[in-house]
Amino acid sequence: MEPVIIIGAGLAGSEAAWQLARRGIPVELHEMKPAKMTPAHHSADFGELVCSNSLRSDQLENAVGLLKEELRRLGSLIMECADQHRVEAGGALAVDRHAFSGEITRRIQEHPLITVVEGEVTEIPAEGNVIVASGPLTSDALSTAIQGFFPESKYLNFFDAAAPLVTFESVDMDKAFFASRYDKGTPDYINCPMNAEEYAAFWTELCGAEEAPVHGFEDRSVFEGCMPVEVMARRGVDTLRYGPLKPRGLRDPRTGKEPYAVVQLRKDNAEGSIYNIVGFQTHLRWPEQKRVFQMIPGLENAEFIRYGVMHRNTYLDSPRMLDRYYRVKHDPRVCFAGQITGVEGYVESTASGYLAAVELARRLTGKAPVDFPQETAIGALALYVSNESVTEFQPMNVNFGIIPPLGYKVKGKRNKNAELSKRALEILDKLNPAEV
């Protein structure tokens, strides 16, 4: 059998290589380090954690905790190495980053079916099965090659701005209301009205809030094309009221009048369980976003499933490009995995590498694909990434908002999330993870 070519030995690429090899499929794993490094990388090891050493919550009441448990039951290399080299971090899974990456590298290099090839890949191979897992800092040459692979499409977004996402159930609808401007069309927007005093307090805190540092490998110029809301605010006390917070054409049903200012929320997924705060692209530190944005009436208890971010990143417009197995729709011999697909986070990248590899291995051995249902975290993530109803696609972490509700009431958010996790794991066990 011809080897599968995997481009990139990060978390997704390493996981994909391992899953293919353990199923008897030979792999040729290409990694540009150490011959070519980016300023974000400091080690030649595979699966390097370039930011935090935390893989976030390990609790089943959290969606990423569920995803980790699913991957454990599915035999994930990354999760096995993480558990082996974990460090104390309360309810989170944190690792000794060097020991963790070193263990991944050793396991990959010692596997007889995995051949590691050092050096930069600048083209997508024209023949054979390929998994592109080149990460958010894909090299310029490979980015150009990917552009050529999708000549008629919005193949890549150069991600420099995203507004925060909140869950619908955490919005206080006693203070907010549904409406569209001038009552045109359907009332799709959630509107959070502010009076003059509330706006003044919000504006003051927004102008003085602390921004996140710009990393050395990030280009400051990426922030010029999409102005952060805090920068806009500093241009004048009324700038926001004539921009994203303009109240014109919106009538508060409680007063019958236009508010002094309005913050709008727009549906972010087809189910309406997640909303983004319109016009609130920001470079504030995450704790500052929570502190300041919860001053908005109706968002006092908002659950942020993604904070606003502004940084350089590269990802596919995956709902148009990929199917639920992370395969390219117009050329299924090529798959993408990792953050380049629009999944955000270490564990999510690992999950995409796992699923892409398992589907490919089953296809090469004449078996039917495994359709992980939306009730599982790994399935929900893949279905979100490939969901064509998501028109303005942005990278996102796994969250319970993309998993179908239970269909019955459970008192308390933690209890509800625990039930969602229990259902997911029961479904997964019925798929017989040992055979997947």
Side-chain angles (χ1 to χ4, degrees), residues 81-153:
C81 293
D83 287 332
Q84 184 176 345
H85 295 286
R86 68 188 303 155
V87 296
E88 292 300 322
L93 172 58
V95 301
D96 179 321
R97 69 171 73 236
H98 300 298
F100 167 72
S101 297
E103 181 72 17
I104 294 170
T105 305
R106 182 187 66 79
R107 299 278 293 275
I108 291 290
Q109 290 178 334
E110 290 180 354
H111 200 291
L113 289 179
I114 301 175
T115 301
V116 176
V117 181
E118 291 184 2
E120 181 184 6
V121 175
T122 59
E123 296 288 344
I124 296 177
E127 297 180 351
N129 292 286
V130 182
I131 298 178
V132 181
S134 51
L137 294 173
T138 296
S139 69
D140 291 342
L142 186 55
S143 291
T144 300
I146 295 170
Q147 179 179 8
F149 197 68
F150 299 110
E152 299 178 355
S153 304

Side-chain angles (χ1 to χ4, degrees), residues 209-244:
E210 183 180 356
E211 295 185 8
V214 176
H215 298 293
F217 59 89
E218 292 179 333
D219 183 352
R220 283 184 177 273
S221 67
V222 302
F223 305 129
E224 295 173 5
C226 193
M227 189 180 297
V229 66
E230 62 272 12
V231 174
M232 194 183 303
R234 293 175 195 139
R235 295 195 168 184
V237 67
D238 286 325
T239 305
L240 294 177
R241 293 183 60 242
Y242 288 91

Side-chain angles (χ1 to χ4, degrees), residues 24 70 146 150 162 170 289 302 376 386:
E70 290 180 359
I146 295 170
F150 299 110
S170 68
Q289 292 186 41
T376 64
S386 59

Side-chain angles (χ1 to χ4, degrees), residues 17-146:
W18 184 261
Q19 296 304 331
L20 284 163
R22 71 191 287 248
R23 289 164 174 79
I25 310 295
V27 173
E28 192 175 282
L29 178 61
H30 291 254
E31 172 54 52
M32 70 178 186
K33 299 190 306 178
K36 183 173 182 177
M37 306 279 282
T38 75
H41 295 105
H42 303 282
S43 165
D45 284 340
F46 304 157
E48 182 183 1
L49 304 182
V50 298
C51 295
S52 169
N53 71 324
S54 173
L55 278 66
R56 311 193 332 268
S57 174
D58 210 25
Q59 309 299 307
L60 288 177
E61 294 81 9
N62 188 293
V64 75
L66 168 61
L67 183 58
K68 283 200 279 287
E69 180 57 27
E70 290 180 359
L71 287 168
R72 288 186 181 103
R73 297 188 184 197
L74 291 166
S76 163
L77 169 69
I78 301 304
M79 287 310 306
E80 187 176 331
C81 293
D83 287 332
Q84 184 176 345
H85 295 286
R86 68 188 303 155
V87 296
E88 292 300 322
L93 172 58
V95 301
D96 179 321
R97 69 171 73 236
H98 300 298
F100 167 72
S101 297
E103 181 72 17
I104 294 170
T105 305
R106 182 187 66 79
R107 299 278 293 275
I108 291 290
Q109 290 178 334
E110 290 180 354
H111 200 291
L113 289 179
I114 301 175
T115 301
V116 176
V117 181
E118 291 184 2
E120 181 184 6
V121 175
T122 59
E123 296 288 344
I124 296 177
E127 297 180 351
N129 292 286
V130 182
I131 298 178
V132 181
S134 51
L137 294 173
T138 296
S139 69
D140 291 342
L142 186 55
S143 291
T144 300
I146 295 170

